[in-house]
Amino acid sequence: MKMVRSVNFKEELETKTREADRVVRSFLPEAKGFPAQMIEAMNYSVAAGGKRIRPILVMEAFRMFGGRGDTAWPFMAAIEMVHTHSLIHDDLPAIDNDDYRRGKKTTHAVYGEALGILSGDALLNYAYETALSSLADGKQTDRKIRALRILANKSGVYGMLGGQSVDVQNEKMGSLSLSSQELDYIYLHKTSALLEASLEMGAVLAGAGEREAAAMEQIGRKTGLAFQIRDDILDVTGTRETLGKPVLSDAKNQKTTYVTLYGTEKAEEIVQELTGEAEKLLERLPGEKEFLCGLLEWMACREK
Amino acid sequence: MKMVRSVNFKEELETKTREADRVVRSFLPEAKGFPAQMIEAMNYSVAAGGKRIRPILVMEAFRMFGGRGDTAWPFMAAIEMVHTHSLIHDDLPAIDNDDYRRGKKTTHAVYGEALGILSGDALLNYAYETALSSLADGKQTDRKIRALRILANKSGVYGMLGGQSVDVQNEKMGSLSLSSQELDYIYLHKTSALLEASLEMGAVLAGAGEREAAAMEQIGRKTGLAFQIRDDILDVTGTRETLGKPVLSDAKNQKTTYVTLYGTEKAEEIVQELTGEAEKLLERLPGEKEFLCGLLEWMACREK
């Protein structure tokens, strides 16, 4: 793996996070509107968000294929709404039962469980309201429809939500019982699906062809898997201080991970392999992609 | 109000329910696919459904404006998926906590709370997957986009989900505390919004103009309100035997209803007024609408 990450990568990431954050927030329901509490909960959940990785991926893929202007904006917001919806529902008492995420109270912890469920629903729905509203100007309709269908397919039963459903069932069954195929299914759907959607949508909105879009999808697939394996590794090698969350929680919960299946060293090798493959795919594509390449590497090799 | 309901209305309703049911089921995820449990839960929830009123409204509105063929089918399925999603989440322990609906176990009672949440999400998302897939043939794209935007807007924070959020908050506050404006807000969003969407989508898909679509929306609005007030009345005047559910539950839960605000007699008058207004709007529109007229009346005047 080449060290393509520039010295200024961190700074650039921060700038792009701010940019993406501004775009995402500009599409949220007007904070002073009615129904007040639901809108407040929707805004709260998105505001509590992290690095806006998915919207940044949309934007970078869009630019890489020559996209200019604000066509990708509603889709950047939409993918972040789908993602945030999944976090809100994941944190619910019936699923992960987390009252805190990134040091902030989770949505249901602030607004109650009922509004946690309903405002998660409303954010998922608002992703479609937002992306569909982009069709109003009658411009680039075909590209936007392609992007919308990617968004819907990657988010649903055959994408992210499907992955979550298997994850939840397996946690119920407990104790190290997953096969490597099952674990891959979960990671590739729960995590990869929305990264695939981000990169593919950005490309498609800029006019990329089928083969280029498929390559972007593959890059998202490999990066998502590497990202998730990195999570497994950090749970063993990280510290509470750097991660900001408890370590060794997988072992405690007897979860099957890449570390339990392959050991830390082999898991690390697989991350390097996947990242290398993703970078190779990216290199073959046209356009300016230095930052995107750095971002993919950062996602797989981060230390927290 | 005229008694337009034909002697054969009940029979016709049964036939149309079977028709709509076939259409809706044909768009569900293949029952033998993967992720198995989530797909099973999605199919279970929809199969446990009732009279398919919303898909029938789409179909009737579509036919009324001269629609032919299967253009409306994916939208019939989509509106029923949105509706079923709302029932699954409504029944959850954190909201209404119902283990039975229409004599059948609710989704979370069969599949557990986590899968109840996630498969409700997946059904909402699948509504968009289904409606968006109708765009693949490149035909009637403008009409389908209009219908999709109606679906999304009426389902979300400014439609059904918004209404549910206020309903939930008010139940938490309890004891007869709603103003008539707040009660109307809840009924017009929780119930009317999807009926408005059904009638408007059907009309738009058949090529109806803005004014005709707006009239259909108004008809849905009035009918939804009448339908919900009828519910309030039946809770007082019905019997457990005819309704198949406990009566006087609103009083027991100290819920504000049209009966507590206006009394049974006045509430009944309002239902008749709303139904009369809806029928008048319908009469002014073109096309064959005898069954639709009967259906609207049945919804407002049903005895269970």
PDB file of all heavy atoms in Angstrom, chain A residues 124-148:
ATOM      1  N   LEU A 124     -35.632   8.869   7.592  1.00  0.00           N
ATOM      2  CA  LEU A 124     -35.532   7.977   6.429  1.00  0.00           C
ATOM      3  C   LEU A 124     -36.436   8.503   5.315  1.00  0.00           C
ATOM      4  O   LEU A 124     -36.031   8.617   4.160  1.00  0.00           O
ATOM      5  CB  LEU A 124     -35.950   6.551   6.826  1.00  0.00           C
ATOM      6  CG  LEU A 124     -36.003   5.524   5.681  1.00  0.00           C
ATOM      7  CD1 LEU A 124     -34.644   5.362   5.011  1.00  0.00           C
ATOM      8  CD2 LEU A 124     -36.505   4.167   6.187  1.00  0.00           C
ATOM      9  N   ASN A 125     -37.658   8.842   5.687  1.00  0.00           N
ATOM     10  CA  ASN A 125     -38.596   9.347   4.687  1.00  0.00           C
ATOM     11  C   ASN A 125     -38.122  10.673   4.101  1.00  0.00           C
ATOM     12  O   ASN A 125     -38.265  10.929   2.903  1.00  0.00           O
ATOM     13  CB  ASN A 125     -39.985   9.512   5.325  1.00  0.00           C
ATOM     14  CG  ASN A 125     -41.072   9.678   4.280  1.00  0.00           C
ATOM     15  OD1 ASN A 125     -41.514   8.696   3.675  1.00  0.00           O
ATOM     16  ND2 ASN A 125     -41.490  10.916   4.028  1.00  0.00           N
ATOM     17  N   TYR A 126     -37.538  11.509   4.953  1.00  0.00           N
ATOM     18  CA  TYR A 126     -37.092  12.825   4.490  1.00  0.00           C
ATOM     19  C   TYR A 126     -35.932  12.719   3.508  1.00  0.00           C
ATOM     20  O   TYR A 126     -35.729  13.607   2.672  1.00  0.00           O
ATOM     21  CB  TYR A 126     -36.720  13.717   5.681  1.00  0.00           C
ATOM     22  CG  TYR A 126     -36.970  15.179   5.415  1.00  0.00           C
ATOM     23  CD1 TYR A 126     -38.269  15.652   5.277  1.00  0.00           C
ATOM     24  CD2 TYR A 126     -35.922  16.085   5.272  1.00  0.00           C
ATOM     25  CE1 TYR A 126     -38.512  16.991   5.001  1.00  0.00           C
ATOM     26  CE2 TYR A 126     -36.162  17.425   5.005  1.00  0.00           C
ATOM     27  CZ  TYR A 126     -37.452  17.870   4.874  1.00  0.00           C
ATOM     28  OH  TYR A 126     -37.694  19.198   4.593  1.00  0.00           O
ATOM     29  N   ALA A 127     -35.167  11.643   3.622  1.00  0.00           N
ATOM     30  CA  ALA A 127     -34.117  11.400   2.625  1.00  0.00           C
ATOM     31  C   ALA A 127     -34.751  11.345   1.237  1.00  0.00           C
ATOM     32  O   ALA A 127     -34.232  11.931   0.281  1.00  0.00           O
ATOM     33  CB  ALA A 127     -33.394  10.094   2.933  1.00  0.00           C
ATOM     34  N   TYR A 128     -35.883  10.662   1.124  1.00  0.00           N
ATOM     35  CA  TYR A 128     -36.541  10.563  -0.183  1.00  0.00           C
ATOM     36  C   TYR A 128     -37.225  11.868  -0.567  1.00  0.00           C
ATOM     37  O   TYR A 128     -37.201  12.268  -1.729  1.00  0.00           O
ATOM     38  CB  TYR A 128     -37.511   9.371  -0.191  1.00  0.00           C
ATOM     39  CG  TYR A 128     -36.740   8.089  -0.059  1.00  0.00           C
ATOM     40  CD1 TYR A 128     -36.685   7.390   1.132  1.00  0.00           C
ATOM     41  CD2 TYR A 128     -35.967   7.641  -1.124  1.00  0.00           C
ATOM     42  CE1 TYR A 128     -35.905   6.252   1.261  1.00  0.00           C
ATOM     43  CE2 TYR A 128     -35.184   6.498  -1.005  1.00  0.00           C
ATOM     44  CZ  TYR A 128     -35.159   5.811   0.186  1.00  0.00           C
ATOM     45  OH  TYR A 128     -34.370   4.700   0.303  1.00  0.00           O
ATOM     46  N   GLU A 129     -37.827  12.551   0.413  1.00  0.00           N
ATOM     47  CA  GLU A 129     -38.422  13.863   0.120  1.00  0.00           C
ATOM     48  C   GLU A 129     -37.357  14.794  -0.464  1.00  0.00           C
ATOM     49  O   GLU A 129     -37.589  15.513  -1.441  1.00  0.00           O
ATOM     50  CB  GLU A 129     -39.027  14.478   1.382  1.00  0.00           C
ATOM     51  CG  GLU A 129     -40.229  13.701   1.908  1.00  0.00           C
ATOM     52  CD  GLU A 129     -40.827  14.335   3.160  1.00  0.00           C
ATOM     53  OE1 GLU A 129     -41.399  15.435   3.075  1.00  0.00           O
ATOM     54  OE2 GLU A 129     -40.741  13.711   4.240  1.00  0.00           O
ATOM     55  N   THR A 130     -36.182  14.763   0.167  1.00  0.00           N
ATOM     56  CA  THR A 130     -35.087  15.648  -0.240  1.00  0.00           C
ATOM     57  C   THR A 130     -34.562  15.297  -1.625  1.00  0.00           C
ATOM     58  O   THR A 130     -34.431  16.164  -2.502  1.00  0.00           O
ATOM     59  CB  THR A 130     -33.936  15.543   0.787  1.00  0.00           C
ATOM     60  OG1 THR A 130     -34.458  15.866   2.078  1.00  0.00           O
ATOM     61  CG2 THR A 130     -32.803  16.499   0.445  1.00  0.00           C
ATOM     62  N   ALA A 131     -34.266  14.022  -1.837  1.00  0.00           N
ATOM     63  CA  ALA A 131     -33.709  13.611  -3.126  1.00  0.00           C
ATOM     64  C   ALA A 131     -34.752  13.795  -4.239  1.00  0.00           C
ATOM     65  O   ALA A 131     -34.420  14.225  -5.343  1.00  0.00           O
ATOM     66  CB  ALA A 131     -33.240  12.163  -3.054  1.00  0.00           C
ATOM     67  N   LEU A 132     -36.011  13.489  -3.938  1.00  0.00           N
ATOM     68  CA  LEU A 132     -37.064  13.654  -4.952  1.00  0.00           C
ATOM     69  C   LEU A 132     -37.291  15.117  -5.301  1.00  0.00           C
ATOM     70  O   LEU A 132     -37.617  15.449  -6.443  1.00  0.00           O
ATOM     71  CB  LEU A 132     -38.376  13.034  -4.460  1.00  0.00           C
ATOM     72  CG  LEU A 132     -38.466  11.503  -4.550  1.00  0.00           C
ATOM     73  CD1 LEU A 132     -39.623  10.984  -3.692  1.00  0.00           C
ATOM     74  CD2 LEU A 132     -38.650  11.049  -6.004  1.00  0.00           C
ATOM     75  N   SER A 133     -37.130  16.009  -4.316  1.00  0.00           N
ATOM     76  CA  SER A 133     -37.375  17.430  -4.589  1.00  0.00           C
ATOM     77  C   SER A 133     -36.361  17.966  -5.599  1.00  0.00           C
ATOM     78  O   SER A 133     -36.609  18.957  -6.277  1.00  0.00           O
ATOM     79  CB  SER A 133     -37.352  18.246  -3.298  1.00  0.00           C
ATOM     80  OG  SER A 133     -36.032  18.344  -2.834  1.00  0.00           O
ATOM     81  N   SER A 134     -35.219  17.277  -5.708  1.00  0.00           N
ATOM     82  CA  SER A 134     -34.212  17.708  -6.686  1.00  0.00           C
ATOM     83  C   SER A 134     -34.706  17.522  -8.121  1.00  0.00           C
ATOM     84  O   SER A 134     -34.146  18.084  -9.061  1.00  0.00           O
ATOM     85  CB  SER A 134     -32.911  16.937  -6.490  1.00  0.00           C
ATOM     86  OG  SER A 134     -32.999  15.642  -7.075  1.00  0.00           O
ATOM     87  N   LEU A 135     -35.755  16.734  -8.302  1.00  0.00           N
ATOM     88  CA  LEU A 135     -36.295  16.502  -9.647  1.00  0.00           C
ATOM     89  C   LEU A 135     -37.175  17.646 -10.129  1.00  0.00           C
ATOM     90  O   LEU A 135     -37.544  17.705 -11.308  1.00  0.00           O
ATOM     91  CB  LEU A 135     -37.108  15.201  -9.670  1.00  0.00           C
ATOM     92  CG  LEU A 135     -36.285  13.904  -9.535  1.00  0.00           C
ATOM     93  CD1 LEU A 135     -37.167  12.750  -9.110  1.00  0.00           C
ATOM     94  CD2 LEU A 135     -35.602  13.583 -10.862  1.00  0.00           C
ATOM     95  N   ALA A 136     -37.502  18.563  -9.213  1.00  0.00           N
ATOM     96  CA  ALA A 136     -38.456  19.621  -9.546  1.00  0.00           C
ATOM     97  C   ALA A 136     -37.991  20.510 -10.701  1.00  0.00           C
ATOM     98  O   ALA A 136     -38.810  21.001 -11.477  1.00  0.00           O
ATOM     99  CB  ALA A 136     -38.739  20.477  -8.305  1.00  0.00           C
ATOM    100  N   ASP A 137     -36.673  20.696 -10.830  1.00  0.00           N
ATOM    101  CA  ASP A 137     -36.192  21.620 -11.872  1.00  0.00           C
ATOM    102  C   ASP A 137     -36.155  20.990 -13.270  1.00  0.00           C
ATOM    103  O   ASP A 137     -35.818  21.661 -14.250  1.00  0.00           O
ATOM    104  CB  ASP A 137     -34.816  22.213 -11.493  1.00  0.00           C
ATOM    105  CG  ASP A 137     -33.722  21.138 -11.430  1.00  0.00           C
ATOM    106  OD1 ASP A 137     -33.988  19.980 -11.822  1.00  0.00           O
ATOM    107  OD2 ASP A 137     -32.612  21.461 -10.980  1.00  0.00           O
ATOM    108  N   GLY A 138     -36.469  19.703 -13.344  1.00  0.00           N
ATOM    109  CA  GLY A 138     -36.523  19.049 -14.652  1.00  0.00           C
ATOM    110  C   GLY A 138     -35.168  18.858 -15.331  1.00  0.00           C
ATOM    111  O   GLY A 138     -35.096  18.452 -16.487  1.00  0.00           O
ATOM    112  N   LYS A 139     -34.090  19.137 -14.603  1.00  0.00           N
ATOM    113  CA  LYS A 139     -32.743  19.005 -15.196  1.00  0.00           C
ATOM    114  C   LYS A 139     -32.090  17.691 -14.786  1.00  0.00           C
ATOM    115  O   LYS A 139     -32.227  17.273 -13.651  1.00  0.00           O
ATOM    116  CB  LYS A 139     -31.850  20.171 -14.737  1.00  0.00           C
ATOM    117  CG  LYS A 139     -32.260  21.504 -15.347  1.00  0.00           C
ATOM    118  CD  LYS A 139     -31.395  22.633 -14.782  1.00  0.00           C
ATOM    119  CE  LYS A 139     -31.960  23.997 -15.186  1.00  0.00           C
ATOM    120  NZ  LYS A 139     -31.478  25.066 -14.302  1.00  0.00           N
ATOM    121  N   GLN A 140     -31.348  17.091 -15.668  1.00  0.00           N
ATOM    122  CA  GLN A 140     -30.584  15.863 -15.380  1.00  0.00           C
ATOM    123  C   GLN A 140     -31.462  14.790 -14.753  1.00  0.00           C
ATOM    124  O   GLN A 140     -31.020  14.065 -13.848  1.00  0.00           O
ATOM    125  CB  GLN A 140     -29.423  16.167 -14.415  1.00  0.00           C
ATOM    126  CG  GLN A 140     -28.566  17.342 -14.810  1.00  0.00           C
ATOM    127  CD  GLN A 140     -27.426  16.934 -15.748  1.00  0.00           C
ATOM    128  OE1 GLN A 140     -27.575  15.990 -16.520  1.00  0.00           O
ATOM    129  NE2 GLN A 140     -26.321  17.627 -15.676  1.00  0.00           N
ATOM    130  N   THR A 141     -32.709  14.705 -15.210  1.00  0.00           N
ATOM    131  CA  THR A 141     -33.666  13.798 -14.578  1.00  0.00           C
ATOM    132  C   THR A 141     -33.180  12.349 -14.582  1.00  0.00           C
ATOM    133  O   THR A 141     -33.304  11.654 -13.564  1.00  0.00           O
ATOM    134  CB  THR A 141     -35.034  13.912 -15.283  1.00  0.00           C
ATOM    135  OG1 THR A 141     -35.461  15.278 -15.184  1.00  0.00           O
ATOM    136  CG2 THR A 141     -36.074  13.026 -14.631  1.00  0.00           C
ATOM    137  N   ASP A 142     -32.629  11.907 -15.700  1.00  0.00           N
ATOM    138  CA  ASP A 142     -32.192  10.503 -15.778  1.00  0.00           C
ATOM    139  C   ASP A 142     -31.125  10.165 -14.741  1.00  0.00           C
ATOM    140  O   ASP A 142     -31.189   9.133 -14.081  1.00  0.00           O
ATOM    141  CB  ASP A 142     -31.649  10.182 -17.179  1.00  0.00           C
ATOM    142  CG  ASP A 142     -32.784  10.089 -18.186  1.00  0.00           C
ATOM    143  OD1 ASP A 142     -33.955  10.110 -17.766  1.00  0.00           O
ATOM    144  OD2 ASP A 142     -32.490  10.003 -19.396  1.00  0.00           O
ATOM    145  N   ARG A 143     -30.156  11.058 -14.619  1.00  0.00           N
ATOM    146  CA  ARG A 143     -29.095  10.817 -13.639  1.00  0.00           C
ATOM    147  C   ARG A 143     -29.651  10.781 -12.213  1.00  0.00           C
ATOM    148  O   ARG A 143     -29.250   9.955 -11.392  1.00  0.00           O
ATOM    149  CB  ARG A 143     -28.047  11.929 -13.712  1.00  0.00           C
ATOM    150  CG  ARG A 143     -27.259  11.921 -15.001  1.00  0.00           C
ATOM    151  CD  ARG A 143     -26.270  13.069 -15.015  1.00  0.00           C
ATOM    152  NE  ARG A 143     -25.618  13.156 -16.312  1.00  0.00           N
ATOM    153  CZ  ARG A 143     -24.627  13.991 -16.599  1.00  0.00           C
ATOM    154  NH1 ARG A 143     -24.196  14.833 -15.669  1.00  0.00           N
ATOM    155  NH2 ARG A 143     -24.095  14.006 -17.791  1.00  0.00           N
ATOM    156  N   LYS A 144     -30.545  11.719 -11.935  1.00  0.00           N
ATOM    157  CA  LYS A 144     -31.096  11.778 -10.577  1.00  0.00           C
ATOM    158  C   LYS A 144     -31.933  10.540 -10.262  1.00  0.00           C
ATOM    159  O   LYS A 144     -31.896  10.036  -9.144  1.00  0.00           O
ATOM    160  CB  LYS A 144     -31.938  13.046 -10.411  1.00  0.00           C
ATOM    161  CG  LYS A 144     -31.111  14.321 -10.396  1.00  0.00           C
ATOM    162  CD  LYS A 144     -32.014  15.548 -10.395  1.00  0.00           C
ATOM    163  CE  LYS A 144     -31.228  16.831 -10.589  1.00  0.00           C
ATOM    164  NZ  LYS A 144     -32.144  17.981 -10.882  1.00  0.00           N
ATOM    165  N   ILE A 145     -32.671  10.068 -11.254  1.00  0.00           N
ATOM    166  CA  ILE A 145     -33.461   8.853 -11.040  1.00  0.00           C
ATOM    167  C   ILE A 145     -32.533   7.658 -10.782  1.00  0.00           C
ATOM    168  O   ILE A 145     -32.786   6.845  -9.884  1.00  0.00           O
ATOM    169  CB  ILE A 145     -34.395   8.578 -12.239  1.00  0.00           C
ATOM    170  CG1 ILE A 145     -35.527   9.616 -12.248  1.00  0.00           C
ATOM    171  CG2 ILE A 145     -34.973   7.169 -12.180  1.00  0.00           C
ATOM    172  CD1 ILE A 145     -36.436   9.530 -13.463  1.00  0.00           C
ATOM    173  N   ARG A 146     -31.458   7.583 -11.553  1.00  0.00           N
ATOM    174  CA  ARG A 146     -30.484   6.506 -11.311  1.00  0.00           C
ATOM    175  C   ARG A 146     -29.954   6.579  -9.880  1.00  0.00           C
ATOM    176  O   ARG A 146     -29.870   5.568  -9.183  1.00  0.00           O
ATOM    177  CB  ARG A 146     -29.294   6.622 -12.271  1.00  0.00           C
ATOM    178  CG  ARG A 146     -29.430   5.807 -13.555  1.00  0.00           C
ATOM    179  CD  ARG A 146     -28.254   6.081 -14.491  1.00  0.00           C
ATOM    180  NE  ARG A 146     -27.058   5.308 -14.173  1.00  0.00           N
ATOM    181  CZ  ARG A 146     -25.840   5.576 -14.661  1.00  0.00           C
ATOM    182  NH1 ARG A 146     -25.653   6.617 -15.472  1.00  0.00           N
ATOM    183  NH2 ARG A 146     -24.806   4.817 -14.354  1.00  0.00           N
ATOM    184  N   ALA A 147     -29.609   7.794  -9.452  1.00  0.00           N
ATOM    185  CA  ALA A 147     -29.062   7.971  -8.104  1.00  0.00           C
ATOM    186  C   ALA A 147     -30.101   7.604  -7.042  1.00  0.00           C
ATOM    187  O   ALA A 147     -29.793   6.954  -6.041  1.00  0.00           O
ATOM    188  CB  ALA A 147     -28.588   9.407  -7.912  1.00  0.00           C
ATOM    189  N   LEU A 148     -31.349   8.017  -7.274  1.00  0.00           N
ATOM    190  CA  LEU A 148     -32.413   7.698  -6.324  1.00  0.00           C
ATOM    191  C   LEU A 148     -32.612   6.194  -6.179  1.00  0.00           C
ATOM    192  O   LEU A 148     -32.825   5.678  -5.074  1.00  0.00           O
ATOM    193  CB  LEU A 148     -33.727   8.328  -6.805  1.00  0.00           C
ATOM    194  CG  LEU A 148     -34.156   9.594  -6.096  1.00  0.00           C
ATOM    195  CD1 LEU A 148     -35.101  10.398  -6.972  1.00  0.00           C
ATOM    196  CD2 LEU A 148     -34.837   9.267  -4.767  1.00  0.00           C
TER     197      LEU A 148
END
